[in-house]
């Protein structure tokens, strides 16, 4: 299966994190190739409310400190490495998110709360946000998040039922709160 | 693969011509991958389909210290020095800025699935998606074609988006609605064989009246202003306007062109431009240079002559039978009640973002988009708002905003509430807060300074004091371009800026040239005065000084343009920017050596080769532009009595211009001044290429004397040198034209 965009998003423990302050962090990641892959540039969209925030544009995927869920959060989006099963793609994305969270914690001291992971799949053709589309991806996506982050018996919520929006699955492990990286 | 699946899914939903275009482009991508299409040909092919290059696509990026190599996965290229896998930009043409909720939703999907969830509105009513992979473009084009949108001829040497006043049809001052004519002209010229041989791009614009700004026809290649004569509809036609390094006001081609003659006239203009326009030297290839070279009378004569021999085309008038198709009517739905009182915020929004329509009881609401951006999520909700409040009419503006038309007066509080819920109810549309900007160094290969970074900074600072601003300055326009190419339209702003750089103590420092007093009204009726370059980090202080000086120094109801003209260029420069030009050393304050929103040390190292109209922005053009600024600095220093600096700047200007001219023969001119001057002499003076018809080699001798003898002293000698440096620069431009013409003759021979 090829899914056009697979994103995973986890909030910062500190709700006052300002995405703009990560511009310098991300430029450093591009310069030092901190997380591997091919980082290309940093884009700033902090003037747009509840938007992509500060984005590290990469070839394989993008890292972002964003506010699309209404709170500051770390996000990783698979772009070119988008061929595989849902479980493989979500696991890959969550793994990259964990790596980035660890790097941010180490560089800035800000913790990412991996107790809530939102999976967002934007692909109108293969996985539209319909009952059928969600059925196709939900179970595998939830299982992949749980396995990668180490959740037991997670709570699952659907972020939006508007068929125009991407599939949005919020996976929460109450017991994992406080286990921030 | 999903590309094939989308093709199958959309089969039968796309207009056949657009579907064929997509198939053709997909095939060309495949042929390029197989090495069967030359990279230059492919570059022009993709440009003509709106697929543009983006910064760093040559595989290099400065990290502030060194130029790093970006190792993209394949060696394939999509143009000279343009890596296949590098992200690019896709420009989507939105004729007259008009779009439906359904079209907006599709663009939102595309931004989300292939870009970065941002829809960027341009100053020519287009949408741009950034960070697109070339492999995705055929699918994107098909999905657009399915809702009757094309990217065809959005870039390249072609007829670009046809822009028009965003109030067309509802405007209180328009003569008539120009929408059907803009649409007809777009459809008629799209892919027309008479537009296939342009040396550069061709931008048309329409305006419903002469006095307002919205159509900006005076700065376009082809402009039409609605006019009624003896009860008959027609247009006053303008030709040969343009911004860029050499801004030109358009000339009147026809005082009155009857509506049925509009399309044959633009066809005749296209034929003359295609036949006689410059092809070799692309820096002189816009139609403005042809009109200037021939003179408007001769150009008009040629166009009329061409018109006489055009074979009849039924499309010239067919659209007139269908003109009512564009007549809009109010959305039929019950009135809305807001859930809360909007209070002061609503009042502020009403004061700046709302204006009455011609049709009684209805208003136009302008949605101010910060830096022209909105997210996919916002776009979908805006589509809902549009359906709920106004039906299916939205338009992009040339100030990078969106307007909703046909809003019932009584619905304004409820609409405000709905827009506030999606983050689109910011007040200040069209005011000094609503700064217009091109993409600049964020994504553009030609960007020198960070126009978006500066615009965001100005916006934030001005917003903090928005309600304390004096009435006199609230309505001023600020427009920012990242370089001299003027995509931010700084020439027609009250306060304009364009990016450049200066070398100080071995470090590059981002600067902006300050341009004051341009005219937005009268369709961009006058260009501003460049008064000098200031370090980027001091531009907010420049804005403070300009606005304060205007508030305190204006007399009566004097406009900002009148104020600038009265004070004069020299005094404005002295009053507003001279002190701010100072740059502390790197050791004293390193912040001057990075740009807004970008912590890297500023560098010109990743400045790229432009693809504007599929052509190379030459080294020569860059150098001559810098020399222009330097000559100006010399003249200001002279007026200030700083003879040492005036001498130094005049000499530097001649050296820079000479270096640019040498680049016509030697792509990388010798770095040492002695060697470069020797090369200039050998290639251009000894060969008499740098010769004036009357003055001979006099202008070159100014450089040689100053270079050999060192600084001149005394007011008279310095004044003479400054004047000579201006003449040298003029001669350099002439030389550039001469060399290009000779090259063209060689090609013909």
């Amino acid at each position: 299966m090829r899914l056009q965009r697979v994103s995973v998003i986890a909030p910062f423990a500190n709700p006052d994190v300002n995405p703009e302050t990560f511009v310098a962090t991300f430029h450093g990641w591009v310069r030092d190739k901190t997380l591997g892959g091919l980082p290309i540039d940093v884009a700033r969209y902090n003037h747009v409310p509840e938007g992509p925030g500060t984005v590290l544009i990469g070839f394989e995927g993008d890292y972002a400190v964003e506010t699309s869920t209404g709170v500051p959060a770390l996000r990783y989006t698979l772009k070119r490495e988008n061929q595989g099963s849902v479980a493989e793609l979500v696991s890959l994305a969550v793994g990259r998110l964990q790596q980035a969270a660890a790097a941010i914690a180490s560089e800035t001291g800000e913790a990412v709360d991996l107790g809530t992971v939102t999976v967002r799949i934007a692909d109108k053709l293969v996985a539209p946000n319909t009952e059928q589309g969600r059925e196709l991806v939900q179970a595998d996506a939830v299982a992949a998040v749980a396995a990668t982050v180490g959740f037991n018996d997670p709570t699952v919520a659907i972020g939006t039922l508007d068929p125009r929006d991407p599939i949005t699955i919020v996976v929460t492990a109450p017991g994992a709160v406080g286990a921030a990286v | 693969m999903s590309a094939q699946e989308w093709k199958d899914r959309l089969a039968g939903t796309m207009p056949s011509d657009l579907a064929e275009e997509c198939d053709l482009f997909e095939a060309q991508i495949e042929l390029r991958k197989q090495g069967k299409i030359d990279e230059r040909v492919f570059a022009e092919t993709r440009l003509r389909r709106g697929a543009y290059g983006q910064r760093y696509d040559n595989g290099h990026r400065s990290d502030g210290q060194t130029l790093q190599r970006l190792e993209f996965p394949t060696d394939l290229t999509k143009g000279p020095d343009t890596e296949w896998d590098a992200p690019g930009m896709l420009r989507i043409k939105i004729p007259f800025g008009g779009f439906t909720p359904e079209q907006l939703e599709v663009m939102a999907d595309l931004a989300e699935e292939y870009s970065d969830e941002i829809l960027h509105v341009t100053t020519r009513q287009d949408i741009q998606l950034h960070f697109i992979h070339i492999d995705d473009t055929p699918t994107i084009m098909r999905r657009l074609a399915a809702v009757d949108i094309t990217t065809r001829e959005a870039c390249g040497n072609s007829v670009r988006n046809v822009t028009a006043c965003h109030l067309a049809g509802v405007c209180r001052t328009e003569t008539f609605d120009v929408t059907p004519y803009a649409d007809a002209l777009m459809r008629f010229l799209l892919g027309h064989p008479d537009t296939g041989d342009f040396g550069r791009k061709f931008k048309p614009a329409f305006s419903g009246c002469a006095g307002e700004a919205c159509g900006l026809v005076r700065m376009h290649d082809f402009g039409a202003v609605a006019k009624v004569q003896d009860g008959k509809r027609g247009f006053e036609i303008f030709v040969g306007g343009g911004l860029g390094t050499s801004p030109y006001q358009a000339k009147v081609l026809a005082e009155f062109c009857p509506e049925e003659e509009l399309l044959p006239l633009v066809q005749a203009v296209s034929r003359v431009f295609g036949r006689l326009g410059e092809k070799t030297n692309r820096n002189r290839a816009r139609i403005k240079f042809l009109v200037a070279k021939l003179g408007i009378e001769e150009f008009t004569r040629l166009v009329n002559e061409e018109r006489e021999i055009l074979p009849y085309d039924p499309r010239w008038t067919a659209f007139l039978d269908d003109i009512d198709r564009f007549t809009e009517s109010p959305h039929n739905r019950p009135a809305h009640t807001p859930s809360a009182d909007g209070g002061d915020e609503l009042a502020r929004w009403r004061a700046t973002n709302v204006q009455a329509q011609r049709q009684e009881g209805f208003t136009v609401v302008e949605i101010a988009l910060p830096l022209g951006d909105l997210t996919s999520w916002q776009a979908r909700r805006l589509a809902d708002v549009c359906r709920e409040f106004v039906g299916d009419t939205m338009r992009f503006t040339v100030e990078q905003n969106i307007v909703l038309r046909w809003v019932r007066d009584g619905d304004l509080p409820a609409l405000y509430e709905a827009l506030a819920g999606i983050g689109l109810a910011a007040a200040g549309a069209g005011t000094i807060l609503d700064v217009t900007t091109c993409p600049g160094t964020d994504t553009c290969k030609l960007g020198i300074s960070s126009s978006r970074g500066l615009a965001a900074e100005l916006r934030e600072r001005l917003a903090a004091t928005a309600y304390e601003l004096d009435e006199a300055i609230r309505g001023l326009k600020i427009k920012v371009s990242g370089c001299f190419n003027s995509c931010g339209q700084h020439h027609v702003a009250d306060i304009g800026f364009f990016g450049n750089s200066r070398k100080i103590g071995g470090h590059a420092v981002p600067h902006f040239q300050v341009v004051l007093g341009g005219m937005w009204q009268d369709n961009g009726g006058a260009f501003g005065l460049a008064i000098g370059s200031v370090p980027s980090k001091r531009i907010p202080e420049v804005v403070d000084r300009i606005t304060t000086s205007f508030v305190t120094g204006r007399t009566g109801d004097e406009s900002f343009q009148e104020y600038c003209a009265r004070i004069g260029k020299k005094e404005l420069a002295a009053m507003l920017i001279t002190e701010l030009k100072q740059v502390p050393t790197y050791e004293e304050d390193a912040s001057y050596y990075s740009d807004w929103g970008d912590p890297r040390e500023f560098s010109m190292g990743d400045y790229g080769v432009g693809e504007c109209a599929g052509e190379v922005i030459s080294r020569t053009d860059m150098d001559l532009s810098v020399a222009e600024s330097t000559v100006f600095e010399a003249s200001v220093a002279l007026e200030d009595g700083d003879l040492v600096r005036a001498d130094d700047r005049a000499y530097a200007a001649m050296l820079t211009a000479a270096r640019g001219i040498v680049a016509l023969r030697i792509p990388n001119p010798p770095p040492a001044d002695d060697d470069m001057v020797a090369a200039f002499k050998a290639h251009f003076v000894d060969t008499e290429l740098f010769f004036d018809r009357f003055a001979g080699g006099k202008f070159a001798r100014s450089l040689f004397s100053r270079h050999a003898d060192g600084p001149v002293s005394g007011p008279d000698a310095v004044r003479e040198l400054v004047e000579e440096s201006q003449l040298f620069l003029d001669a350099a431009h002439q030389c550039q034209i001469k060399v290009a013409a000779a090259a063209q003759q060689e090609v013909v021979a």
Side-chain angles (χ1 to χ4, degrees), chain A residues 1 78 81 83-94 140 144 148:
Chain A
M1 181 187 290
L78 286 176
E81 291 180 332
Q83 191 92 36
S85 69
V86 172
E88 286 167 346
L89 295 176
V90 172
S91 296
L92 178 62
V94 173
D140 287 347
T148 314

Side-chain angles (χ1 to χ4, degrees), chain A residues 40 45 47 75 162 164-165, chain B residues 105 116-117 373 381 384:
Chain A
I40 297 172
Y45 298 115
H47 50 279
R75 169 173 175 165
D162 187 331
R164 299 172 304 172
D165 288 326
Chain B
E105 285 169 343
D116 51 5
E117 301 183 10
D373 291 344
R381 269 77 226 168
D384 291 341

